[in-house]
Amino acid sequence: MRRRPEISSEKPSAASQEPSSESEIDQKDAGAKVRVNSPRRSPFVFLTLFALTVYSSWSVYQHQFQSLPAPITAEQAGKRGFSEIEALKHVQALTDLGPHSVGSDALDLALEYVLEAAKNIKEKAHWEVDVDVEAFHVRSGANQMAGGLFMGKTLLYSDLNHVVLRILPKFESEAAQNAILVSSHIDTVFSTGGAGDCSSCIAVMLELARGISQWAGFKHAVIFLFNTGEEEGLNGAHSFVTQHPWNETVRMAIDLEAMGIGGKSGIFQAGPHPWAIENFASVAKYPSGQIIAQDFFSSGAIKSATDFQIYKEVAGLSGLDFAYTDNSAVYHTKNDKLELLKPGSLQHLGENMLSFLIHSAASPHLPKGNAMEQEENKGQNAAIFFDILGTYMVVFRQNFANMLYNSVIIQSLLIWITSLLMGGYPAAVSLALSCLSIILMWILALGFSVLIAFILPLVSSSPVPYVANPWLVVGLFAAPALLGALTGQHLGYLFLQTYLSTVYSKRKLLSPAVQADLIKLESERWIYKAGSVQWLILLAMGNYYKIRSSYLALVWLVPPTFAYGLLEATLSPARLPKPLKLATLLMGLAVPILISAGIFIQLAGTVIGTMVRFDRNPGSTPEWLGNVIIAAFIAAVICLTLVYLLSYVHLSGAKRSIVLATCLLFGLSFTAVFLGIVPPFTEDTARAVNVVHVVDTTGIFEGKRDISSYVSLFSTTPGKLNKEVEQIKEGLNCGRNKVVDFVAFSVKYGCWTYDDTEDGWSESDIPLLHVYRDVKKKARITRVSVDTKGSIRWVLAINTEEIEDFRFEVLNADNSEELVQSGIKSGVDGWHIIQFSGGKHSPTIFNLTLIWKSEFMQSAHKVDGQRGEQRPLLKLRTDWNRLTPKTEMVLEKLPSWCSLFGKSTSPHTLAFLTSLPVDF
């Protein structure tokens, strides 16, 4: 008599059935004889698979993000083409001017250069094309966007100058009323010449305008906006869409930006209407863009904003936002320089943009309608996009994604439910234990890597020792995470083996040795399938919350599951399990690695670069926090992407080799950091610092201002400044016992010196806040004169716990102009910030009308919320871009691994602080 015993805890299903084994079962009167292939797998095979996975991932990254086209000359490009060699001449000319921030002489020269280049394009344009060139001056304006970084802020600007160039066909009557806007900014922050941010963008636009001016046959106009004031709060874009007469003709906006220097300029924001991204994908020569970058940016993980926000939210436009993100650590530092601009970077963006603009300008239709209305309906109409190896771009809409994701989720659930119903209780417990292995993998991977993140600040000269050498994170965080993931999954594997041994022990037809081998084989299969469960959960969550980068979960769920179903599962009755085929892993991981490996590596590099400016309020965040974020990110990527591969290790002898290799890699990296063999910063990847001569008059002493003058040194890069101070000297003391309130932010850890700080400024530079009327009737109204004493860049904070509303007027030579009208004003942490910047002829005297809250509201606040010192009614900081003798001396001795860092809220090298108390 012959029969096949039931030996597996898995029952037949579409997803989980085992194929017919090479094992043979012979049942005789004396008992059963089963011959099973050895469950052991060669350690060499697994290590080869692991090496192949790492090599493939790195190759994908190199091809997708580092492979750039060769720069071509003007002769090679021809009249209608794009030449990087010509564009680089513009970058060189602009960076030679040095930093050109708003209000500087260098910015005037930069504007003159761009205007002259635009006029030259007009002179040489094709005879069937009209080219209009305009120097657009903006007298004043106010930006009161309430979202994102602009919450609780009002941005004021004055005396801004832009260059606008419009190209339109002569014989299309409607062309002037339907335009495509291409925009970027000429100005830089005060700390850099801005080769990447954004002289490279301006150069690309000038070369694009030259090429497009030689084409004919367009149906629409193309407007190139070379704006200023972007670095001070997107003021240039705001002034154009609110004050320029051509703003009503724009149907689509393209913004060019840089958050690093060079590399591939990819799309990191698109929409809300999908027309632009769909057409870009169809014509771009080297398409580059990832929806995960848009999700990452819009989440607020990167504290930044671009002109695209103005075009979308204020002007109601759809379009595309491009950015260079390579080497993001140099952003707004001295190292944003031409020498670090990779060859081919401008050629890549230029050729993509030229193809897209020619196609769009000739298209019979351009998207119309308000972008914010489209944003409300983005659940169905938004585009999901990603490129494959920088060669092909996939674009599909959210409504299709919903159908696709729901279909996969429902089918997966049906397969699992059927499998569990047929497998019964043993299958359910096996699934639970295999999922436990995933949980343990996450816990230990995160635990090991985060532990190192806490230790690093204690043993290294810098809490972020990997900024200049990002490869260090492989040894410092990836190696411990891999060790933790392997340990956690192996623990779950052992728990699963223990349970299956009790299931098999009830079946007397198999010998103990055979049972032990079969248990190992079946455990391996459950661990592999548990990997698909975690991706199924992520897909379901992403679909529920409409996270557009959820396609990554789909990519990591479907191919491995399909490969398993094709090569491993069977619809036959229960079979003996056997080792998973190598072809299953290779087939299952090929597509996920191709689509996502480069993205994860690029994203990790971007996050590492942001550590240079991580501490927005210096000293306010723990030194280990940045490390924890990077460690958690790397651990998450390892747990998500190596879950299938690690399931193959348990039957091999490679576990010891992996443990030794990860420990060795970690040990070498940790030793290099501990001994300072690898410096945390270099001259080309510098630490971001600020050196500010502060004149503080916020103190009150016997009714008179107490003037305090000192030089402050602080850094947005986590870590102490002891090493820097040792080299600078100059009497600097460091600590947390002196908090400097710069109005827009506070410095809770820094260094300062009072020595020799009386020169380079005078009391006539000190701004004034003067109350000239205070009326207490039904509603208390106070009028304050604000005199910045010549400063054209300042920040004013209004106490919203006392003040309900305000109006703001600028006093010109001949009249007054109300910039901010009364209305609802938002606040953050009890303050509303007014931020002003402008050109040399900006006004410096203003009137502020304050409308107080009711006495009941004020008294309630004082009882419930007021602690410690009384908050002032107003705080004012005025900036001057000039060096005092003491500041100049400190800057001369600043180590080469440090660089001044600028942003819209940071002070220049001389700042005056004053305030107005509540009980003035």
Side-chain angles (χ1 to χ4, degrees), residues 15 166 267 280 283 535 548 657 682 709 763:
R166 181 174 67 173
I267 298 170
F280 175 84
V283 300
W535 283 110
R548 282 184 266 180
S657 299
T682 64
S709 175
E763 291 197 22

Side-chain angles (χ1 to χ4, degrees), residues 311-633:
Y311 300 134
K312 185 172 72 171
E313 296 182 13
V314 179
L317 298 170
S318 292
L320 302 174
D321 201 3
F322 292 81
Y324 292 110
T325 57
D326 273 19
N327 205 356
S328 57
V330 309
Y331 177 70
H332 283 191
T333 69
K334 66 179 182 180
N335 292 315
D336 185 2
K337 54 189 178 182
L338 183 58
E339 293 80 359
L340 297 182
L341 186 60
K342 297 179 181 177
S345 300
L346 307 190
Q347 194 69 43
H348 174 267
L349 175 59
E351 291 197 36
N352 281 343
M353 282 294 299
L354 184 61
S355 300
F356 175 63
L357 289 176
I358 291 172
H359 173 80
S360 300
S363 174
H365 303 290
L366 284 179
K368 295 183 180 181
N370 188 282
M372 298 315 295
E373 293 176 0
Q374 296 163 5
E375 186 83 7
E376 295 175 0
N377 301 321
K378 69 179 181 180
Q380 299 300 321
N381 203 37
I384 296 169
F385 58 92
F386 58 92
D387 72 83
I388 300 175
L389 296 180
T391 304
Y392 180 77
M393 179 168 280
V394 177
V395 182
F396 54 95
R397 299 196 180 188
Q398 185 68 54
N399 52 5
F400 173 77
N402 292 339
M403 292 188 292
L404 179 62
Y405 298 165
N406 287 329
S407 174
V408 171
I409 292 168
I410 292 172
Q411 291 183 57
S412 299
L413 291 176
L414 288 175
I415 290 172
W416 274 109
I417 291 171
T418 303
S419 177
L420 294 177
L421 288 175
M422 297 181 69
Y425 180 76
V429 175
S430 297
L431 175 62
L433 289 175
S434 61
C435 290
L436 176 63
S437 73
I438 303 297
I439 295 173
L440 291 173
M441 180 177 70
W442 277 85
I443 292 174
L444 292 183
L446 286 169
F448 286 9
S449 58
V450 169
L451 177 62
I452 303 304
F454 281 107
I455 293 175
L456 273 183
L458 304 177
V459 300
S460 171
S461 60
S462 169
V464 286
Y466 42 78
V467 170
N469 300 279
W471 54 266
L472 275 174
V473 301
V474 177
L476 294 174
F477 299 132
L482 177 60
L483 182 61
L486 175 61
T487 304
Q489 194 182 90
H490 191 65
L491 286 175
Y493 174 80
L494 295 177
F495 292 150
L496 186 57
Q497 274 190 298
T498 302
Y499 171 72
L500 290 177
S501 65
T502 63
V503 175
Y504 276 81
S505 65
K506 299 176 183 178
R507 296 164 184 171
K508 307 298 183 181
L509 299 178
L510 302 175
S511 68
V514 171
Q515 286 186 21
D517 287 345
L518 294 176
I519 289 168
K520 292 178 181 179
L521 294 172
E522 189 169 350
S523 297
E524 178 187 58
R525 289 171 172 265
W526 277 110
I527 294 294
Y528 180 93
K529 291 188 289 184
S532 67
V533 173
Q534 77 166 352
W535 283 110
L536 176 60
I537 293 172
L538 288 176
L539 179 62
M541 292 176 61
N543 188 47
Y544 179 80
Y545 290 106
K546 297 296 182 288
I547 300 173
R548 282 184 266 180
S549 51
S550 298
Y551 79 90
L552 289 170
L554 182 76
V555 166
W556 280 91
L557 169 63
V558 174
T561 304
F562 175 79
Y564 183 90
L566 181 66
L567 300 178
E568 307 290 352
T570 179
L571 296 176
S572 304
R575 300 283 184 175
L576 295 176
K578 64 178 181 179
L580 291 171
K581 299 180 178 67
L582 297 182
T584 303
L585 188 68
L586 295 175
M587 180 184 293
L589 294 187
V591 173
I593 289 176
L594 181 69
I595 291 178
S596 65
I599 298 172
F600 290 137
I601 296 173
Q602 179 74 2
L603 195 57
T606 301
V607 174
I608 291 170
T610 62
M611 291 298 108
V612 168
R613 52 191 182 276
F614 179 73
D615 199 352
R616 296 177 65 84
N617 292 279
S620 63
T621 56
E623 291 184 346
W624 45 260
L625 184 58
N627 290 338
V628 168
I629 291 173
I630 292 177
F633 174 80

